[in-house]
Amino acid sequence: MTAILLTAPLQGWANALDEVPDAVFAGRMLGDGVAIDPTGGTLHAPCDGEVLTLHAGGHAITLRGEGGVELLMHIGIDTVQLGGRDFTARVGVGDRVERGQPLIDFDLDALVRGAPSLMTPLIVTNADAFRIVRRETDRVVGIGQLLMTVEPIAATAPATPSAEGERIVRQVRVAMAHGLHARPAAKIGDVARGFVATSWLGKDGAEARTTGAVGLLGLGVQFGDTIDVIASGPDAPEAVAALVTLIESGMGERAEHAPVRIVAPPPPAPVALPEGQLAGTLAAPGYTIGTARWLRVADIAVPVDGQGAAIEAARLDSALSAVRETLATTTGEGAAIRAAHIAFLDDADLREAANTAIGEGRDAGHAWRAATRAQAATLRNLGDARLAERADDLLDLERQVLGELTGTQAEAMTFPAGTILLADDLLPSQVMAIDPANVIGLAVERGGPTSHVAILAATMGLPALVAIGAPLGTVADGATLILDADDGVLHVDPDAATLAEARAHADRRTADRDAALARATEACVTLDGVRIEAFANLGSVDDAKAAMANGAEGSGLLRTEFLFLDRDSAPDAAEQAALYGAIAAELDGRPLIVRLLDIGGDKPAPYLPIAPEENPALGLRGIRVALAMPDILETQLRGILSVQPVGQCRIMIPMVASVAEIAAVRAVVDRLRVELGITDRVEVGIMVETPAAAVTAATLAVHADFLSIGTNDLTQYALAMDRGNPAVASGIDGLHPAVLQLIAHTTDGAARHRRWVGVCGGLASDRLAIPLLVGLGITELSASPRFVPELKALVRRLDTHRCRLLAVRALAAASPAEVRTMVREFLQEQGV
């Protein structure tokens, strides 16, 4: 038999499990292994493998290693009660890890003070498949030193649930204060082994054997959840009764209310709204008045037990193929999102989980639902808002595949004209099926501002609020609504005076929009004759078409990430040249500023070897990635330089912090120009996104042909606030005086060398920011395509001298709120 070597995940003193001061581990209720009393503050991988589960508190993790060995590592004893405050995970569920790779950082000093013991067990949880043949204990071990050797043992075929008799099912509310973590999982397994029955716990369509600790942890069961207790076999009724009693008891962790988890500072208190108004999060801008219509969708019914593994596997194959074919042939607005869905369809772990359930006798639909919901629950439990939003994509796929399996037709997304659609949540496929002629806005109880639903709503021009919460459920079908997405408010059944004012406001906005669109092709020039270029930010050929329809004079930012993400390998130069060329052709000779690959941080690509970072926002991202991977940089530059006519495409370097970065890119550009026979100079500019670039703008401008300010990143770096962190995101405002001063420093430095400065970040689409940007010397504004007509209309009514005086006052303001009030008054005085 092949031996599997497990190395020490911590430095410290290795002990037998008998020394662990906890009956669950010492009694080997979760399995056999070794414990380490640590002297360091980072847990490392004991072998190559995959992360199966990561407890929400950050103190426990399970891996599937070589040969399928399943390992649980639990940092300290009773550390679940610390609520995660002393742990920082460096990996996520589904990540592939290598032996010795850091998994979790923890505060050793804090654990000494807050936990009964630091003893950290490493447990082989699938003891039915592996046995330990050697252990290194009673000595000091270092990270990576041999700790245990295990060998596989002959597997026994699992019993088929359907062959064991009728399944007994009861529901129970989880009373354990910290949910289902290692200790309760062990107790559940111990009780289950006392009966002649096969038993499971189920949550949200996913099930796990009661004797499998890893599977139980993967359910993500929390305090207050209602779960199913299931058993079949001779002792099934007795097993279910005993397990329900055990779970209801709380196992020594009973709580009437959910425990407090200290994971981040509390967000600022929400602004109190008058009665009849609900607060939400802006997902897509706009203002509209309509009638509430609820979208209520029932789950597709599927049987539990199948017709045999071979039949059900073939059914699932057929359904997956049909959905994949539909997705692959989708074009237009949803094509990029469909491509991401195909990646989920091809996920090996998802299919393996479904196949395992089919092998246990489940119907293909039941197996697929269990697999997708388990993975969706994992994503939602990771504490990352963006990953949680991807769970919606999984549930969308669940429904599409179940529709194929059962012949169930998709819901008819037909609603009367003037509908503001309400839902507890929305799937991307549902939004794409909406007729925007009838549905004029969206209000969603859950969801997030960076979800695919939000992206689609913005693309379709539908005002949308998400994360409104449970109060949305009180809104009745047929209620009159004012959806003010810009201000994050939903007005419910307003009185006659409020409704009349809202209609007048909506009419003015429509008239202004129509007038701006009618003049969209005219030049963008201020009242006193200063030329301001009105460009558009693009991410696709469709965006370029929209930009041209809205009068854009070029593109100040082509995001090239859309070519690199959601795929297994980087695009070659020919593929890149074809796409850049297609977008350039749509612009009909107008400038196209192509941002080099801005990846890393919150935009990882699976094929780029970027190791987990403690702070990705300050790590390997932007131009740092390209310079660290010169093949990626050269291939992209070759693709850009191949676009005809030469010179239409300008090159922009993201995340610049030094002259050396510009010089390195310029050297590759010049070398490729010679190779490709290009005699004309190709413009190379930079993005000003770091305070370092803003402060040294005069120095950088010597080497750059232009500077473009990315206000989103510049703002978060200047204010030391992560825009993806809901605890601080409400404090992020690009009109903070500190950000405005960095913009002023940039324009002053660039002017010394006669370089123009643009803005391609969010401020260029913020109506209140535009007078300030013009006053600070910005001469190019690149906004979302739909905003370009309004941008031009506003600039035509501004006088640059008055804008400069306004900017001087704003630079001395005390807060962004003061700045915004100042600009509103300025625009009112100017009659704008």
Side-chain angles (χ1 to χ4, degrees):
M1 294 186 179
T2 303
I4 298 170
L5 306 181
L6 303 176
T7 53
L10 293 161
Q11 60 187 32
W13 186 266
N15 298 271
L17 283 187
D18 307 85
E19 303 299 320
V20 179
D22 183 277
V24 167
F25 293 111
R28 293 165 174 77
M29 295 169 66
L30 287 166
D32 201 358
V34 171
I36 296 176
D37 200 350
T39 57
T42 300
L43 182 76
H44 298 256
C47 61
D48 295 348
E50 177 187 2
V51 179
L52 295 181
T53 68
L54 177 64
H55 193 278
H59 67 288
I61 188 169
T62 62
L63 306 179
R64 178 181 292 120
E66 303 161 33
V69 61
E70 294 180 352
L71 306 169
L72 165 68
M73 287 168 281
H74 192 288
I75 303 171
I77 303 303
D78 284 343
T79 44
V80 66
Q81 301 183 44
L82 300 177
R85 66 175 177 266
D86 300 317
F87 302 90
T88 303
R90 298 176 65 171
V91 294
V93 173
D95 285 356
R96 297 291 306 177
V97 298
E98 297 179 352
R99 186 188 305 274
Q101 180 177 328
L103 303 176
I104 300 172
D105 294 329
F106 55 93
D107 187 331
L108 192 64
D109 293 339
L111 295 193
V112 168
R113 295 189 297 269
S117 170
L118 297 185
M119 201 77 82
T120 297
L122 170 61
I123 304 293
V124 178
T125 60
N126 51 345
D128 57 335
F130 294 88
R131 61 170 169 262
I132 300 172
V133 296
R134 178 182 175 184
R135 347 169 177 245
E136 301 293 334
T137 57
D138 297 322
R139 67 181 183 88
V140 174
V141 293
I143 296 166
Q145 291 184 351
L146 181 63
L147 186 67
M148 285 191 292
T149 304
V150 300
E151 288 181 349
I153 57 180
T156 56
T160 303
S162 59
E164 295 182 358
E166 181 183 359
R167 286 161 54 98
I168 307 296
V169 182
R170 280 182 57 186
Q171 290 192 326
V172 61
R173 182 176 179 274
V174 175
M176 292 86 76
H178 303 290
L180 186 52
H181 56 98
R183 182 178 290 104
K187 291 180 179 178
I188 288 170
D190 196 43
V191 168
R193 292 184 188 95
F195 296 92
V196 182
T198 304
S199 54
W200 306 264
L201 297 187
K203 177 189 173 186
D204 295 333
E207 295 178 3
R209 296 259 185 164
T210 53
T211 53
V214 171
L216 290 178
L217 296 177
L219 290 176
V221 176
Q222 301 294 321
F223 169 83
D225 285 349
T226 298
I227 62 174
D228 295 327
V229 179
I230 310 159
S232 65
D235 291 347
E238 294 83 358
V240 167
L243 290 169
V244 167
T245 300
L246 177 67
I247 295 168
E248 285 180 335
S249 74
M251 303 185 217
E253 298 179 8
R254 188 175 183 85
E256 297 304 319
H257 303 285
V260 176
R261 290 187 65 230
I262 307 172
V263 296
V271 177
L273 292 175
E275 186 176 354
Q277 296 183 21
L278 304 180
T281 298
L282 170 66
Y287 185 98
T288 192
I289 303 166
T291 303
R293 304 288 178 195
W294 274 95
L295 173 66
R296 304 187 190 276
V297 180
D299 274 347
I300 296 175
V302 293
V304 174
D305 296 322
Q307 307 168 60
I311 293 174
E312 298 302 331
R315 292 182 63 228
L316 183 57
D317 278 337
S318 176
L320 292 174
S321 296
V323 173
R324 186 180 292 104
E325 182 177 353
T326 299
L327 294 174
T329 55
T330 300
T331 59
E333 293 169 344
I337 292 171
R338 296 296 200 193
H341 283 191
I342 290 175
F344 274 129
L345 275 183
D346 294 334
D347 184 278
D349 290 338
L350 192 62
R351 183 58 196 272
E352 182 182 348
N355 285 341
T356 299
I358 287 173
E360 294 174 348
R362 299 291 189 272
D363 172 83
H366 186 276
W368 179 252
R369 170 172 283 160
T372 53
R373 293 199 178 180
Q375 203 167 96
T378 298
L379 291 173
R380 286 198 169 112
N381 289 334
L382 292 178
D384 184 312
R386 299 183 187 209
L387 289 177
E389 289 163 356
R390 298 291 82 79
D392 295 338
D393 297 321
L394 275 171
L395 298 181
D396 196 346
L397 280 177
E398 174 200 310
R399 193 163 193 85
Q400 293 177 61
V401 173
L402 294 187
E404 286 289 340
L405 285 167
T406 62
T408 303
Q409 296 296 315
E411 307 81 18
M413 299 293 288
T414 54
F415 299 92
T419 290
I420 295 179
L421 190 62
L422 276 54
D424 64 339
D425 210 347
L426 278 171
L427 302 176
S429 61
Q430 293 170 331
V431 178
M432 284 186 279
I434 287 171
D435 181 357
N438 291 336
V439 176
I440 58 175
L442 307 175
V444 184
E445 180 176 328
R446 294 187 286 166
T450 61
S451 66
H452 280 150
V453 166
I455 294 169
L456 284 168
T459 303
M460 297 167 68
L462 293 174
L465 283 180
V466 296
I468 297 173
L472 184 66
T474 64
V475 179
D477 261 315
T480 298
L481 302 177
I482 303 170
L483 176 58
D484 185 353
D486 296 334
D487 283 343
V489 178
L490 182 70
H491 303 257
V492 183
D493 282 329
D495 59 36
T498 302
L499 188 58
E501 182 180 345
R503 284 176 175 151
H505 180 70
D507 289 344
R508 286 194 300 272
R509 289 181 65 132
T510 300
D512 289 345
R513 167 72 184 172
D514 291 344
L517 191 57
R519 297 185 59 193
T521 58
E522 298 178 18
C524 185
V525 181
T526 66
L527 278 174
D528 53 332
V530 176
R531 181 78 167 89
I532 305 293
E533 291 182 303
F535 284 6
N537 297 334
L538 309 179
S540 67
V541 173
D542 287 342
D543 286 350
K545 293 176 179 177
M548 292 301 294
N550 284 281
E553 299 169 347
S555 171
L557 169 64
L558 173 61
R559 303 179 183 93
T560 59
E561 293 73 50
F562 74 101
L563 260 174
F564 289 80
L565 300 176
D566 295 322
R567 56 189 297 159
D568 296 327
S569 60
D572 61 21
E575 182 181 355
Q576 293 189 55
L579 277 228
Y580 305 151
I583 292 171
E586 288 292 339
L587 296 183
D588 194 23
R590 294 169 177 81
L592 174 60
I593 298 178
V594 183
R595 181 175 69 186
L596 296 178
L597 180 62
D598 184 11
I599 214 160
D602 63 345
K603 294 175 285 188
Y607 52 85
L608 294 181
I610 300 176
E613 298 176 294
E614 184 172 352
N615 193 338
L618 302 180
L620 199 61
R621 60 165 301 191
I623 192 57
R624 301 167 192 168
V625 174
L627 293 177
M629 303 172 189
D631 289 347
I632 294 286
L633 174 61
E634 179 163 334
T635 299
Q636 183 168 33
L637 289 174
R638 190 181 296 277
I640 296 170
L641 294 172
S642 299
V643 175
Q644 298 293 326
V646 173
Q648 181 183 0
C649 288
R650 304 169 185 174
I651 295 165
M652 185 161 64
I653 309 172
M655 290 298 295
V656 167
S658 71
V659 169
E661 292 164 335
I662 308 173
V665 174
R666 178 85 72 181
V668 180
V669 170
D670 289 343
R671 175 167 55 81
L672 291 175
R673 281 175 52 231
V674 172
E675 181 182 327
L676 297 172
I678 298 172
T679 57
D680 296 332
R681 179 179 171 84
V682 176
E683 290 193 27
V684 177
I686 66 169
M687 287 196 73
V688 176
E689 300 168 277
T690 66
V695 171
T696 61
T699 302
L700 299 177
V702 176
H703 305 272
D705 294 310
F706 61 88
L707 295 83
S708 186
I709 302 173
T711 52
N712 298 349
D713 274 324
L714 182 62
T715 300
Q716 74 167 349
Y717 289 135
L719 302 181
M721 292 181 176
D722 180 1
R723 53 188 167 148
N725 183 342
V728 297
S730 62
I732 296 177
D733 192 329
L735 294 190
H736 192 291
V739 180
L740 296 178
Q741 290 186 37
L742 289 172
I743 294 173
H745 206 96
T746 301
T747 54
D748 288 345
R752 297 182 205 174
H753 303 283
R754 298 185 179 181
R755 302 291 194 253
W756 63 264
V757 181
V759 168
C760 58
L763 283 188
S765 298
D766 185 335
R767 189 170 183 269
L768 294 182
I770 290 169
L772 293 172
L773 297 176
V774 170
L776 289 171
I778 299 297
T779 58
E780 181 248 46
L781 295 166
S782 192
S784 61
R786 288 179 56 84
F787 186 68
V788 169
E790 296 171 61
L791 166 62
K792 285 185 164 184
L794 177 54
V795 168
R796 293 189 193 107
R797 302 176 71 179
L798 297 177
D799 176 272
T800 55
H801 176 68
R802 290 192 176 93
C803 289
R804 288 191 196 102
L805 295 177
L806 172 68
V808 170
R809 291 170 53 211
L811 291 172
S815 68
E818 183 180 336
V819 172
R820 289 189 176 276
T821 299
M822 194 182 295
V823 180
R824 287 191 186 96
E825 293 173 351
F826 170 83
L827 292 176
Q828 289 173 356
E829 291 169 2
Q830 305 302 310
V832 179

